[in-house]
């Protein structure tokens, strides 16, 4: 499973980084950047929480 971030949709709220700072970072330009390419099974639940926390639905899992 991998994280896909829609950089056009991201509004830089930073909820993903607040929930999972080891998996997401808001760049200097205010847009989220996943810090991993592939989500491990151990991080799956936390990643799902972070994706669900995005108020503009800029994140998804594939």
């Amino acid at each position: 499973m991998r994280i896909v971030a829609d950089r056009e949709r991201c509004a830089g709220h930073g909820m993903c980084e607040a929930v999972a700072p080891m998996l997401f970072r808001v760049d200097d330009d205010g847009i989220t950047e996943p810090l991993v390419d592939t989500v491990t099974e151990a991080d799956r639940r936390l990643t799902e929480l972070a994706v669900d926390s995005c108020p503009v639905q800029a994140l998804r899992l594939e």
Side-chain angles (χ1 to χ4, degrees), residues 1-37:
M1 173 171 35
R2 70 183 189 100
I3 303 167
V4 177
D6 183 339
R7 295 182 59 81
E8 296 290 321
R9 180 173 258 184
C10 179
H13 292 281
M15 295 302 296
C16 56
E17 184 178 23
V19 171
M22 71 292 285
L23 299 172
F24 298 93
R25 178 175 74 92
V26 176
D27 284 346
D28 294 337
D29 61 357
I31 304 299
T32 193
E33 173 186 358
L35 298 176
V36 298
D37 291 323

